[in-house]
């Protein structure tokens, strides 16, 4: 019997260690071929194995039941959108792919419910930010990064990434690293990490990333209850990053400032002013709302925004008709592709997260806060972020959501062993 217990403990250790490595790869491997797809697939296989071995235990775990509810509130609207999908095959593929994420989420809840694994993940984030910062500096100084990715022609710094995803990948994971450093009384290390990240976001030329960072920093000031000087210093991080970046990339920063100045031009309409300020995203949102108006209940079908765009665009000067892109807004995406049912599912998840957070003990809320904070900032309604239901981005959101769900459970009530 003792040998069986030892064997079971070894299986659990291997399961959680492997899960932690794959969870880390969702972040670390994001710039490279396939991004988060392979780590998610392997996490899914682990989750299937866990569900099969521990099927008589798994549904007793609060974190698994809660993740199941969250998943269904996202997945069911996708399934329902098949009835009105303008491209049923594309929507069906998205629905099938999304189902894999359920089992990946089960693995993540089992890994992240232990504080030591959350702490190890936070250390991975710290070193990831440092490596990405060094690589971005090399790209700025030499024109190419450590693996040969060239700086963009307009002066944008992308690091290992061949697109502008570096900044948005950093945002959800920064609080996890910063709060770990703050708890270790390494506040200046946390500040340095924020400055490095803000510099990378600034040099990528994305004002939207800095805006989300400001939301995160404002919530940190409120939650940490810092004094006036420390609060102002923390809130000044984006401004300091811009001040550092301005002489390093004068033309890029000037271009972004010129776009911001659209608001004060007297000769243009309000729509044109806001549209210029937002890099023409009002075109995207307006067209997305046309799709919603056509199919208000179930939407045009998951994964169909780009394909449907030319048919629903109405403005002659719309630059995206011939080169459609994503919505740059989570809510427009949901309304366009899954209708009111999809939006209702997301709002329900938000209410459940708030309820679960408020019902937890203060010590557990403190554990969950580094996961709750980025979710609040990214899902803040007045935002221009990436769409949610895409393979390179949702796995990271899932990682943060599962960390939030798992960290709210007290250790004394957890089933730490799989009965075999």
């Amino acid at each position: 019997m003792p040998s069986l217990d030892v064997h079971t403990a070894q299986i659990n250790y291997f399961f959680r260690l492997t899960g932690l490595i794959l969870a880390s790869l969702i972040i670390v491997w994001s710039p490279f071929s396939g991004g988060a797809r392979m780590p998610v697939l392997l996490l899914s296989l682990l989750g299937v194995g866990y569900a099969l071995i521990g099927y008589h235990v798994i549904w007793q775990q609060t974190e698994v039941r809660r993740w199941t509810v969250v998943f269904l509130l996202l997945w069911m609207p996708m399934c329902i959108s098949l009835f009105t999908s303008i491209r049923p095959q594309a929507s069906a593929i998205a629905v099938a792919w999304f189902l894999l994420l359920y089992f990946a989420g089960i693995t993540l809840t089992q890994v992240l419910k232990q504080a030591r694994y959350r702490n190890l993940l936070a250390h991975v984030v710290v070193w990831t930010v440092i490596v990405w910062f060094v690589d971005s500096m090399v790209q700025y100084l030499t024109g190419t990064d450590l693996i040969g990715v060239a700086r963009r022609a307009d002066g944008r710094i992308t690091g290992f990434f061949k697109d502008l995803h570096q900044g948005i990948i950093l945002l959800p994971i920064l609080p996890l690293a910063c709060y770990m450093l703050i708890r270790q009384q390494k506040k200046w290390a946390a500040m340095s990490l924020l400055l490095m990240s803000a510099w990378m976001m600034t040099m990528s030329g994305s004002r939207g990333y800095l805006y989300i960072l400001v939301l995160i920093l404002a919530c940190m000031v409120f939650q940490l209850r810092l004094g006036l000087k420390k609060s102002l210093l923390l809130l000044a991080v984006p401004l300091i990053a811009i001040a550092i970046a301005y002489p390093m990339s004068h033309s890029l920063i000037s271009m972004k400032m010129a776009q911001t100045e659209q608001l004060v031009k007297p000769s243009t309409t309000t729509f044109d002013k806001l549209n210029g300020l937002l890099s023409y995203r009002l075109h995207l949102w307006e067209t997305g709302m046309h799709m919603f108006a056509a199919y208000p209940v179930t939407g045009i079908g998951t994964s169909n925004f780009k394909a449907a765009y030319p048919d629903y665009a109405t403005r002659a000067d719309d630059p995206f008709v011939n080169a459609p892109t994503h919505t740059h807004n989570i809510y427009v995406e949901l309304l366009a592709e899954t209708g009111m049912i999809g939006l209702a599912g997301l709002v329900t998840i938000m209410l459940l997260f708030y309820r679960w957070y408020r019902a937890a003990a203060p010590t557990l809320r403190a554990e969950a806060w580094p996961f709750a904070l980025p979710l609040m900032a990214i899902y803040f309604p007045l935002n221009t972020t990436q769409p949610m239901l895409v393979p390179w981005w949702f796995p990271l959101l899932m990682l943060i959501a599962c960390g939030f769900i798992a960290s709210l459970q007290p250790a004394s009530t957890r089933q730490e062993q799989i009965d075999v």
Side-chain angles (χ1 to χ4, degrees), residues 275-383:
N275 202 28
L277 173 67
L278 296 169
S279 302
Y280 304 102
R281 288 171 186 170
L282 286 188
H283 284 306
L284 297 169
W285 301 343
E286 182 183 60
T287 303
M289 295 312 293
H290 290 160
M291 299 176 193
F292 167 64
Y295 298 94
V297 179
T298 57
I300 62 169
T302 297
S303 194
N304 283 336
F305 181 82
K306 287 184 180 181
Y309 194 91
D311 295 330
Y312 289 90
T314 58
R315 294 182 183 266
D317 61 342
D318 191 333
F320 303 110
V321 171
N322 296 319
T325 183
H326 58 77
T327 59
H328 281 282
N329 186 278
I330 289 171
Y331 299 96
V332 174
E333 172 205 18
L334 283 177
L335 286 172
E337 296 189 348
T338 58
M340 287 301 300
I341 294 178
L343 181 63
L346 180 60
V347 171
T348 302
I349 291 171
M350 292 177 176
L351 294 175
L352 287 173
F353 273 28
Y354 176 76
R355 178 183 175 185
W356 295 337
Y357 183 81
R358 296 301 302 172
T363 53
L364 296 177
R365 292 203 296 266
E367 289 292 315
W369 176 252
F371 297 99
L373 173 54
L375 291 174
M376 289 190 299
I378 289 169
Y379 285 90
F380 186 68
L382 301 178
N383 222 331

Side-chain angles (χ1 to χ4, degrees), residues 33-157:
S33 178
R37 292 171 178 83
M38 186 54 68
V40 165
L41 176 60
L42 296 176
L43 282 167
S44 299
L45 294 176
L46 276 180
V48 169
Y50 180 81
L52 291 175
I53 294 173
Y55 67 91
H56 53 301
V57 170
I58 188 172
W59 307 114
Q60 299 175 17
Q61 299 182 14
T62 301
E63 58 268 20
V64 173
R65 293 200 302 269
R66 287 179 172 179
W67 165 242
T68 301
V69 171
V70 169
F71 174 82
L72 289 175
L73 286 169
L74 292 173
W75 189 61
M76 289 307 296
M78 295 172 66
C79 295
I80 295 171
S81 76
L82 286 169
F83 291 104
T84 53
S85 175
I86 63 170
R87 294 191 309 157
Q89 184 177 2
S91 296
I93 291 173
V95 167
W97 164 80
F98 203 78
L99 182 59
L100 286 176
L101 296 174
Y102 172 66
F103 296 99
I106 288 177
T107 304
L108 291 174
T109 60
Q110 300 309 298
V111 172
L112 296 176
K113 68 184 181 180
Q114 293 192 4
R116 61 172 176 166
Y117 289 116
R118 295 197 297 270
N119 191 56
L120 285 171
L121 182 62
H123 278 85
V124 169
V125 172
V126 170
W127 284 106
T128 298
V129 174
I130 292 172
V131 171
W132 287 5
F133 175 75
V134 171
D135 182 70
S136 296
M137 284 295 299
V138 170
Q139 189 180 61
Y140 168 75
L141 293 172
T142 68
T144 58
D145 82 328
L146 296 172
I147 61 172
V149 178
R151 182 172 54 198
R152 289 170 65 115
D154 58 5
R156 295 174 190 251
I157 301 299

